[in-house]
């Protein structure tokens, strides 16, 4: 039996409802019917999810064609957003399909000889009008080049808004993250009274308090993974949630790490003085649309049928004495039941990333990367210069991915080698908190880089 974590109402057949732990609008797949009663579910959906998803729509919209479909509702074909122009002016835009189209007509003077005009529909009249005004104000030269754009061509400009703009960390954004963290904690059987930083039980409210801080990679391994994952992560982009406790000298803290679209990465402090048991739990979901290749079954040779059976997980030892028609039908049924798997687990991501990066790292260490092909060069280009200690710590991280339970350390601590070849573990939340106050530009730069990578992916033509 379960109770709504917000109003404490018993959940029955009458008020049961399915809650998306990561909102459906963000293509989240993890659901539970044991979290909220239907009334609270729709209340929180209206109060938080709708606006929270809206923040992301400026780039989920261009991504839509590449993402697996949502549970319900069509993908909107349009979304509103803003880009920052060269002059610092903000331009309202619409994201349609893979295009970024200005919503309103607007111009900017680049210099006395160059003017850019943005408009949704081409209009010679407006061009002449702008030229006349600017000449009258003596802002341009007579022969100035007036360039017209019906589309924003540089997707990196679109990225600028999201990371530079202030709306990023507004209260709705914090509420949205807190709601995901609370949902995930209760889903993992944490008592909802034990989440005071994110959930006010008395007032039945998700909070927008200052209990959230951004992730930034500090260990060499995370640096390499994070900057190359748009190239090496199978199913990129993905969502990750990690619920974990961490012991400090005098108390235990309960955290939820939230990573949306492999890009927006935050720690949510759920409880500064958590008395419950130690917990480590990861949810990982890829978002890129997967297509399952159709296999030609009928007419295949007996040998090929064995291989197909193997691929489909059908035991071919039962084929003895069966007619071909029966075997075909059995294999066709198995093929129909095959569904894309979007929740393969974080281990498969990290192990394949390790495999992809291992040869690169070794050759980088020996300064022999020219031996690698074009595909690898793309990855090498995004990896920062590594010191000797960095190589050692990366190899040590590879080792623990292979031998330890990933949920007990991933994004929780990192390994750092010293010059004397000794190494230490550092707590991520702890080190980031230390940094946060004195080097905010580091967070901005990292956030911008990640967003740019996602924008490039969203706007690229590859399916
Ligand atoms: Zn309720």
């Amino acid at each position: 039996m379960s109770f709504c974590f917000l109003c404490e109402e018993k959940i029955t057949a009458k008020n049961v409802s399915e809650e998306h732990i990561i909102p459906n609008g963000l293509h989240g797949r993890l659901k539970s019917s044991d979290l909220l009663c239907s009334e609270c579910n729709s209340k929180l959906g209206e109060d938080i999810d709708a606006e929270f998803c809206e923040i992301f729509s400026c780039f989920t919209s261009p991504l839509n064609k590449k993402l697996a479909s949502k549970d319900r509702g069509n993908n909107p074909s349009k979304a509103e957003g803003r880009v920052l122009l060269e002059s610092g002016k903000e331009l309202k835009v619409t994201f349609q399909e893979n295009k970024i189209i200005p919503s309103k007509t607007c111009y900017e003077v680049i210099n006395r000889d160059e003017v850019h005009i943005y408009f949704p529909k081409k209009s010679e009249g407006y061009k002449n009008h702008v030229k006349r005004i600017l000449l009258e104000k003596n802002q341009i030269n007579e022969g100035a080049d007036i360039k017209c754009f019906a589309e924003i061509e540089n997707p990196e400009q679109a990225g600028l808004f999201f990371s530079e703009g202030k709306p990023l960390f507004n209260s709705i954004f914090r509420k949205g993250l807190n709601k995901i963290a609370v949902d995930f904690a209760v889903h993992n059987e944490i008592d909802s009274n034990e989440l005071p930083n994110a959930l006010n039980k008395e007032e039945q409210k998700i909070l927008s308090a200052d209990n959230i801080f951004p992730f930034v990679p500090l260990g060499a391994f995370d640096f390499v993974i994070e900057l190359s994952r748009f190239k090496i992560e199978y199913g990129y982009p993905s969502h990750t949630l990690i619920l974990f406790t961490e012991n400090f000298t005098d108390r235990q803290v309960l955290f939820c790490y939230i990573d949306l679209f492999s890009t927006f990465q935050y720690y949510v402090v759920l409880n500064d003085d958590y008395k419950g048991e130690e917990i480590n739990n990861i949810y990982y979901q890829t978002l890129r649309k997967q297509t399952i290749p159709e296999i030609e079954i009928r007419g295949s040779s007996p040998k090929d049928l064995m291989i197909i059976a193997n691929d489909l997980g059908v035991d071919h030892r039962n084929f003895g004495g069966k007619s071909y028609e029966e075997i075909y039908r059995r294999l066709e049924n198995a093929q129909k039941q095959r569904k894309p798997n979007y929740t393969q687990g974080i281990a498969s991501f990290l192990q394949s990333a390790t495999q992809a990066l291992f040869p690169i790292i070794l050759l980088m260490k020996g300064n022999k990367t020219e031996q690698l092909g074009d595909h690898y060069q793309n990855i090498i280009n995004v990896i920062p210069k590594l010191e000797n200690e960095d190589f050692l710590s990366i190899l040590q991280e590879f080792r623990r991915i292979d031998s330890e339970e990933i949920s007990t350390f991933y994004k929780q601590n990192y390994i750092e080698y010293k010059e004397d070849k000794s190494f230490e573990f550092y707590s991520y939340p702890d080190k980031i908190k230390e940094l946060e106050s004195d080097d905010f530009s580091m967070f901005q730069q990292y956030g911008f880089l990640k967003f740019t990578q996602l924008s490039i992916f969203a706007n690229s033509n590859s399916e």
Side-chain angles (χ1 to χ4, degrees), residues 137-339:
K137 290 187 189 163
N138 192 25
Q139 287 187 6
I140 54 165
N141 296 328
E142 179 64 41
D145 186 9
I146 315 249
K147 288 183 178 147
C148 298
F149 301 93
E151 198 183 302
I152 307 292
E153 282 154 11
N154 181 3
E156 288 169 36
Q157 284 183 324
L160 218 49
F161 172 69
F162 203 93
S163 61
E164 302 280 304
K166 291 174 192 72
L168 180 64
F169 233 63
N170 65 11
S171 81
I172 198 71
F173 192 75
R174 290 202 209 112
K175 265 190 205 173
L177 292 177
N178 270 332
K179 178 171 179 272
I180 294 172
V182 168
D183 274 1
F184 191 55
V186 178
H187 178 65
N188 280 287
E189 289 169 8
I190 304 279
D191 182 343
S192 59
N193 292 301
E194 293 288 336
L195 311 168
N197 293 1
L199 175 67
N200 183 329
K201 290 286 284 189
E202 255 167 51
E203 293 178 23
Q204 301 188 7
K205 267 187 187 154
I206 298 283
L207 300 172
S208 62
D210 204 8
N211 62 327
I212 298 169
F213 56 94
F215 165 81
V216 69
L218 297 175
F221 167 80
D222 287 297
F223 228 96
V224 170
I225 289 270
E226 288 302 334
L227 296 188
S228 62
R229 75 192 273 184
F230 81 124
K231 301 262 185 213
I232 61 169
E233 184 178 15
Y234 175 77
Y236 173 92
S238 65
H239 293 327
T240 308
L241 302 177
I242 309 172
L243 188 69
F244 66 98
T245 45
E246 190 163 314
N247 288 309
F248 294 91
T249 42
D250 52 340
R251 67 212 154 88
Q252 179 178 244
V253 178
L254 179 64
F255 289 99
C256 184
Y257 168 81
I258 301 178
D259 176 339
L260 300 174
F261 298 100
S262 307
T263 301
F264 307 97
Q265 302 166 317
Y266 298 93
Y267 291 96
V268 175
V269 183
L270 287 166
N271 190 335
D272 287 303
D273 191 7
Y274 181 66
K275 305 284 188 208
E277 274 173 40
E278 187 183 316
I279 187 161
N280 298 85
N281 218 324
I282 298 192
Y283 172 74
Y284 176 77
Q285 174 203 332
T286 60
L287 292 158
R288 195 164 182 180
K289 196 192 288 167
Q290 295 173 22
T291 43
I292 293 199
E294 280 286 313
I295 310 168
E296 198 66 55
I297 292 170
R298 279 170 197 268
S300 295
S301 69
K303 189 182 152 215
D304 283 346
L305 285 177
M306 303 269 239
I307 296 170
I308 293 168
N310 205 17
D311 279 353
L312 293 172
V314 175
D315 191 348
H316 61 73
R317 284 170 301 185
N318 303 331
F319 288 174
K322 297 260 167 28
S323 72
Y324 269 104
E325 185 54 34
E326 278 176 285
I327 294 173
Y328 290 151
R329 251 187 264 146
R330 183 173 288 197
L331 291 176
E332 278 166 356
N333 279 337
Q335 167 141 290
K336 267 184 214 141
Q337 280 163 18
R338 211 150 62 128
K339 286 197 183 115

Side-chain angles (χ1 to χ4, degrees), residues 20 30 54 61 72 74 76-77 80-81 94 96 129 132 134 156-157 175 190 209 234 258 264 300 381 386 404 408 416:
H20 279 80
L30 181 62
E54 185 62 34
S61 187
R72 55 185 146 75
N74 290 326
S77 57
E80 302 292 324
T94 316
Q96 286 176 347
H129 168 74
R132 206 166 50 237
L134 292 175
E156 288 169 36
Q157 284 183 324
K175 265 190 205 173
I190 304 279
Y234 175 77
I258 301 178
F264 307 97
S300 295
N381 290 339
L386 299 170
E404 283 173 45
T408 62
E416 202 172 278

Side-chain angles (χ1 to χ4, degrees), residues 3-11 15 35-41 204:
F3 295 87
C4 171
F5 71 70
L6 205 61
C7 70
E8 294 292 347
E9 201 63 47
K10 194 194 283 181
I11 293 178
N15 68 0
L35 299 179
L36 292 163
C37 70
S38 54
E39 203 179 308
C40 292
N41 192 340
Q204 301 188 7

Side-chain angles (χ1 to χ4, degrees), residues 221 225 232 347-359 361 394 397-399 401-402:
F221 167 80
I225 289 270
I232 61 169
S348 76
F349 157 46
L350 289 175
Q351 277 156 5
S352 67
T354 307
Q355 274 166 21
L357 291 170
F358 192 67
I361 297 293
I394 290 170
E397 294 276 12
F398 282 172
R399 231 168 273 153
I401 284 170
D402 275 339

